[in-house]
Every structure is written in structure tokens, then in C-alpha cells.
Amino acid sequence: MDAELSQRLGRLLDRVEQWLPPAPPEVDWEHHVAALWQRHVLGGSLWPVPPRDALGLDDLLGIERQKLALVDNTHAFLQGYPANHALLWGSRGSGKSSLIRALLNSLAPEGLRLVQVDRHDLAAMPLLVERLRQSPHRFVVYCDDLSFEGHDDAYKALKSVLDGALTGPPSNVLLYATSNRRHLLPESMADNAATALVGEELHHGDAVEEKISLSDRFGLWLGFYPFNQDTYLEACCHWVTQLGSADDWNDEARAEAIRYATLRGGRSGRSAWQFANQWVGGRRLHGE
């Protein structure tokens, strides 16, 4: 009977193993600078990834204040001084995600390590943070394009890691997130039904307090806004010169850059990069 039961358990384990994800490559933080965290039935795994590109901080124009604030905050963290979790919010294509990539490229030699967590893997974030707690390295856990729908409870795991658990986040982990929403959760007119003005003080209803409480856990808020035309053209000139040569930027390119932004319905660092690809690629294709 015991032998038969053992065989059945063995067959069952074989079937379970077929559904398990493949074992990830070993992350060696002495050599790897970035990894992806992926949740699965056994908790989660870290997958090492190479840097996406060689983007530098000097390549990001029009966001000098945001760069300085985030670099200073990260330098303080790397040197063991107090630092804040950071929320980078604002208009699309304005450089939020690019700033995180450039930050890693610039500060990895100083010891910065980055772990990216997608929104659907947030439920296993506490497990990740506890794993990183044991490491001698210093990590930024990065959530890109973070937002939640009204019925989504995944944000509660993030709240717990940021400030809600009894143990708190470890001293070697900071959370950086990017989002188009400052408060991360959708707001409706109904949420404000219980908001009242008492004297000169505004008292939010419970629904509003719940939604604001998540973004309040980030001590550093950095807003990103659409470019004005001068900043947009400066970014276009930079990327055209980087991808091609100084001769590729001329009055014709400037006029086309303005037309490109008009057709796209906005000016941003992303649209400047996309224009430069189109302009330089087109000129090279036609032998110019």
C-alpha cells in the first residue's frame, strides 16, 4: 500500500512539475545590475536582464529639476543616508521611464541594482522585498506605468511594502514607480460625495482617503509635463545629432519636427526621439 501510494505521489509530482515555470538563471548581483521579478505558484523568481540601452542622464532634456531630485535621492540611498520612495507621475512620453533607465546606467557602477515588478506581479512583492532584505546590495524596486482599476486589490500589497507592515521596508530597498496618475487609483464623482468643508478645512470622505493614501506613501513626488516648443525642438536636435550628424539638423528638419508634433497632438521627449528616427532613417534611406 505504501509503495502504491508513493508511486501515485510521484506521478502527481511529475504532472505538477510540467506546469511549473522553468528555473530562472541564477542572479549574480556582482555582475548583473537589473532583474525582473515574476510571480508564480511557488512565490516568485528573479530573472537577470541586461540594460536595455546606453541612455545617459545628459540625453534627457527638459526635466532638469526632476533629474536632480531623483539623482540626489538615489545618491543618498546608495551612501546609506535617509531617502524617500519616489513616484514619477505626469503626461505620457515625458521621460519618466527613461529617467529610471538612465539612472541605472549612470549609478550601477556606484552599486545601484534594479528589480522591475509588473503590476500583475505585485501580490508577491512582500516576498521579493524579504528576499532582497538579506542581500548586501542596495536595490530600487521599480514599477513602471503603475495604475489600478477600482476593483483591483493589488495596490494593497504595494501599500504594505511601502509603509504598512510591522517590519517596514528594509533599509537596502527603495521603491520607484512611474504613472500617468498622481493618485494611482481612479477617482469618481461618487468618491467625493462624503467630502465636506468644515470651516476652512477640507475633510475627505473614506473613499478619497483610501485612494490618496497609496500615493502619500511615496515621500518624493516628481511631476512631468508636456514640453513647450523650444524644449521639444532642443530634444529633436539632440536626437537627430546623436542618431545622425550635426548636418542632419537644419531649417527643413526643424519645420518637419514641428509638423510631426502637430500631427501627433503633443510635444514630448518620446515624440522627439520618434521624429529623429524617422528623419535620420529617411535621409539615410535616400542617400542623404
Side-chain angles (χ1 to χ4, degrees):
M1 184 64 179
D2 290 342
E4 182 180 354
L5 179 59
S6 177
Q7 290 176 357
R8 289 182 179 180
L9 288 175
R11 289 194 296 269
L12 179 60
L13 288 174
D14 288 340
R15 291 181 181 179
V16 170
E17 288 178 353
Q18 294 176 5
W19 292 94
L20 293 177
E26 188 69 26
V27 178
D28 180 359
W29 291 116
E30 294 297 329
H31 300 95
H32 299 122
V33 299
L36 297 177
W37 172 253
Q38 294 183 341
R39 182 181 59 161
H40 51 67
V41 293
L42 298 182
S45 299
L46 285 168
W47 293 77
V49 292
R52 171 177 160 179
D53 50 37
L55 183 72
L57 291 168
D58 291 340
D59 291 318
L60 303 178
L61 307 179
I63 53 170
E64 297 304 322
R65 178 185 61 82
Q66 296 91 329
K67 280 196 296 186
L68 179 61
L70 195 65
V71 169
D72 282 352
N73 189 68
T74 310
H75 268 141
F77 169 65
L78 292 176
Q79 295 177 31
Y81 302 137
N84 277 312
H85 306 299
L87 174 62
L88 286 62
W89 68 275
S91 59
R92 66 188 190 279
S94 53
K96 303 182 295 295
S97 301
S98 296
L99 179 52
I100 299 295
R101 300 203 319 269
L103 190 73
L104 176 63
N105 291 338
S106 299
L107 299 187
E110 300 180 28
L112 178 62
R113 299 296 182 263
L114 186 139
V115 178
Q116 181 169 337
V117 180
D118 291 334
R119 188 191 60 77
H120 60 269
D121 293 323
L122 285 176
M125 175 93 80
L127 178 61
L128 166 64
V129 170
E130 287 307 309
R131 183 178 299 185
L132 298 180
R133 186 190 296 270
Q134 310 304 322
S135 174
H137 299 279
R138 304 189 76 80
F139 299 91
V140 164
V141 174
Y142 168 48
C143 304
D144 187 32
D145 198 18
L146 189 62
S147 64
F148 303 95
E149 300 305 322
H151 60 278
D152 190 346
D153 288 337
Y155 73 93
K156 293 180 180 178
L158 182 59
K159 285 175 63 175
S160 175
V161 169
L162 282 166
D163 202 19
L166 290 175
T167 56
S171 60
N172 67 328
V173 175
L174 274 187
L175 273 77
Y176 286 178
T178 64
S179 178
N180 294 332
R181 294 173 174 167
R182 184 176 61 176
H183 289 149
L184 300 177
L185 288 155
E187 300 178 60
S188 64
M189 290 293 293
D191 292 337
N192 292 283
T195 301
L197 185 65
V198 179
E200 295 184 354
E201 293 185 358
L202 183 65
H203 293 261
H204 292 295
D206 291 343
V208 175
E209 290 288 354
E210 171 73 7
K211 293 182 175 181
I212 293 176
S213 67
L214 177 56
S215 56
D216 271 354
R217 282 169 163 79
F218 293 91
L220 178 60
W221 284 8
L222 297 174
F224 290 70
Y225 307 96
F227 285 180
N228 60 32
Q229 183 160 291
D230 288 343
T231 303
Y232 166 70
L233 290 174
E234 183 183 0
C236 288
C237 176
H238 172 81
W239 286 119
V240 166
T241 303
Q242 288 288 316
L243 295 173
S245 68
D247 293 337
D248 290 308
W249 183 252
N250 49 39
D251 289 342
E252 182 184 1
R254 186 178 185 278
E256 285 299 320
I258 294 173
R259 185 176 296 109
Y260 186 89
T262 301
L263 293 174
R264 300 278 295 184
R267 310 182 194 96
S268 67
R270 179 184 297 161
S271 58
W273 161 259
Q274 291 169 340
F275 165 75
N277 278 280
Q278 176 178 296
W279 181 253
V280 174
R283 285 173 65 86
R284 295 300 179 271
L285 181 64
H286 294 96
E288 298 181 42

